[in-house]
Amino acid sequence: MDRRRFLVAASVLAAGLGVPGQAAAQKRVTLPAPAVPGGKTLEEALRQRQTRRDFDPRPLPDEVLSGLLWAAWGVNRPESGKHTAPTAMNRQEIEVYVAKADGLFLYDAKEQGLSRISETDMRAATGLQSFVGTAPVNLVYVADMTKVAGKTAEEKAFFCGADTGFVSQNVYLYCAVMNLATVVRANIDFPALAKAMGLPSTKRITLAQTVGYPKA
Ligand SMILES: Cc1cc2nc3c(=O)[nH]c(=O)nc-3n(C[C@H](O)[C@H](O)[C@H](O)COP(=O)(O)O)c2cc1C
């Protein structure tokens, strides 16, 4: 990602960060300004984009989590409310949940914050591979099927899958720039995870993605 543009975006976000009201303080987490990736070029990021499954358990600093989420699905044009990833017909149906040791959160792209959904550590439920339970962050991509474009079930499945792919690739590129390990995953017990997350039937888990520092 272009460093100057990222800095502009970070300062816009930092300027726009609101202090949540006292009543909502326990449920709302305002993220710090996103961590600015170092000086890697787009070419370097593309060359280094890769799947890694060796995760160190240490948590990501908040500014790195903030940068990761902003890269994934942040609002990059506040004037129109549009995001870093495209969606078919701009339906913006993708929700990004964050499963960490201290609970399950929903990313609020408009406010660059997190809303706590649960205090339970659900990382192990986000996939069927052993590393998911100990890696610091598992993103769970969810499509609000009431918003997704398409007339038929097949079209809707295609659009929400395609839209998720752009978010995932943004995460891959952010991880490449920040020397983080990541793997996008479909190897999930989808009904069990939807139940654990308390999702209504109108919301569909599309993919999950683990992120963390690579094992030394
Ligand atoms: C839609 C999709 C689903 C995937 N599901 C899994 C998965 O469940 N578990 C896993 O370890 N890797 C999964 N992967 C990662 C692929 O195995 C990986 O991208 C592939 O081996 C190519 O490696 P690369 O990403 O380093 O190019 C998935 C990739 C995609 C695009």
Side-chain angles (χ1 to χ4, degrees):
M1 187 178 301
D2 177 281
R3 185 179 170 81
R4 191 183 58 78
R5 291 178 67 186
F6 199 100
L7 275 168
V8 170
S11 59
V12 166
L13 280 171
L17 293 179
V19 178
Q22 208 55 29
Q26 285 183 331
K27 287 202 130 191
R28 298 262 325 140
V29 180
T30 303
L31 291 164
V36 179
K40 279 192 194 168
T41 63
L42 176 62
E43 183 190 356
E44 286 166 326
L46 290 169
R47 287 193 187 283
Q48 289 163 21
R49 197 238 32 107
Q50 62 180 306
T51 292
R52 290 190 64 162
R53 301 177 182 85
D54 56 322
F55 297 96
D56 189 291
R58 83 190 131 116
L60 298 183
D62 284 349
E63 61 272 20
V64 174
L65 180 63
S66 181
L68 176 75
L69 292 168
W70 186 82
W73 181 240
V75 174
N76 65 352
R77 287 153 293 167
E79 65 286 355
S80 64
K82 290 185 176 177
H83 292 255
T84 54
T87 52
M89 297 181 74
N90 190 32
R91 292 295 178 84
Q92 302 189 4
E93 79 278 9
I94 303 299
E95 297 177 350
V96 180
Y97 289 78
V98 186
K100 300 194 290 158
D102 56 341
L104 180 73
F105 301 82
L106 174 60
Y107 174 49
D108 180 343
K110 263 191 201 147
E111 301 294 332
Q112 191 59 17
L114 295 172
S115 300
R116 188 191 290 276
I117 306 296
S118 164
E119 291 185 3
T120 305
D121 180 354
M122 287 187 199
R123 290 176 297 169
T126 68
L128 298 171
Q129 291 163 281
S130 59
F131 56 78
V132 303
T134 52
V137 168
N138 286 284
L139 304 176
V140 181
Y141 303 129
V142 170
D144 182 340
M145 301 308 285
T146 66
K147 293 185 184 170
V148 66
K151 289 194 184 74
T152 63
E154 192 181 5
E155 275 182 0
K156 286 178 188 292
F158 172 74
F159 284 134
C160 71
D163 293 347
T164 302
F166 295 107
V167 176
S168 171
Q169 180 71 350
N170 285 351
V171 168
Y172 265 107
L173 291 175
Y174 185 81
C175 289
V177 170
M178 297 294 282
N179 300 315
L180 295 167
T182 190
V183 52
V184 68
R185 299 182 287 99
N187 188 9
I188 299 167
D189 182 338
F190 287 92
L193 179 56
K195 193 173 172 198
M197 292 172 68
L199 294 178
S201 59
T202 51
K203 296 201 176 177
R204 179 187 294 184
I205 297 165
T206 51
L207 287 170
Q209 188 157 4
T210 308
V211 180
Y213 290 106
K215 264 192 188 141

